[in-house]
Amino acid sequence: RRNKRSALRKALSDKGCKNLEDGSMQALITAASRPDDAAASSRFAAYVESCPWFRELQEATDTQRLESLSEEIEEVDRAIGSTDARVLREEEDNVPGDESALSS
C-alpha cells in the first residue's frame, strides 16, 4: 500500500482511499475474518471515515451476510451429497456375493 507502484495502492485510490492510516488494513482483515467479534468490528469502525470503500463494507447488511453464508452452506451440502452418493455406490459395488466385485 505504501509502494507508489503497488496494485493495492492503485485499487484503494480508485475506491477513494488514498491516505489510509496505519493499521487500517489489518483492522479490515481482522473484522472480515471475525464478523462476530465486536472488538474487531469496533477497531475497523475507527477507520471507516478515512475511506469510502470501508464505509460501504461496514454498511453491508446482515441480509447480504446471511445470503452469502446460505450459499456456502448449500455448496457444502452439495459436496457432502456427492460424496455420500459416491460412497454408497462403492458400497453397493462391493456387496458380498456380487461376482462383479470379485472380477475387479
Side-chain angles (χ1 to χ4, degrees):
R1 146 179 102 81
R2 292 182 185 171
N3 180 345
K4 298 241 186 242
R5 296 184 213 171
S6 164
L8 177 58
R9 182 183 182 118
K10 170 83 171 96
L12 288 169
S13 179
D14 290 347
K15 296 275 189 185
C17 308
K18 292 184 182 196
N19 297 312
L20 293 178
E21 298 176 41
D22 288 343
S24 60
M25 292 304 291
Q26 181 178 1
L28 166 64
I29 292 167
T30 303
S33 65
R34 299 184 209 155
D36 296 330
D37 184 340
S41 295
S42 178
R43 283 190 296 276
F44 174 63
Y47 298 104
V48 168
E49 293 307 314
S50 66
C51 174
W53 180 57
F54 285 176
R55 190 172 22 261
E56 289 176 30
L57 293 174
Q58 187 184 42
E59 292 172 354
T61 65
D62 288 337
T63 302
Q64 290 169 320
R65 289 184 184 147
L66 289 174
E67 287 173 358
S68 175
L69 182 59
S70 177
E71 289 171 7
E72 290 176 26
I73 290 170
E74 287 175 12
E75 287 178 28
V76 169
D77 283 345
R78 280 193 297 274
I80 290 171
S82 65
T83 300
D84 288 347
R86 182 181 48 80
V87 168
L88 285 173
R89 280 193 305 274
E90 289 174 0
E91 288 175 355
E92 289 172 355
D93 290 344
N94 294 317
V95 172
D98 185 357
E99 298 301 319
S100 62
L102 296 174
S103 63
S104 313

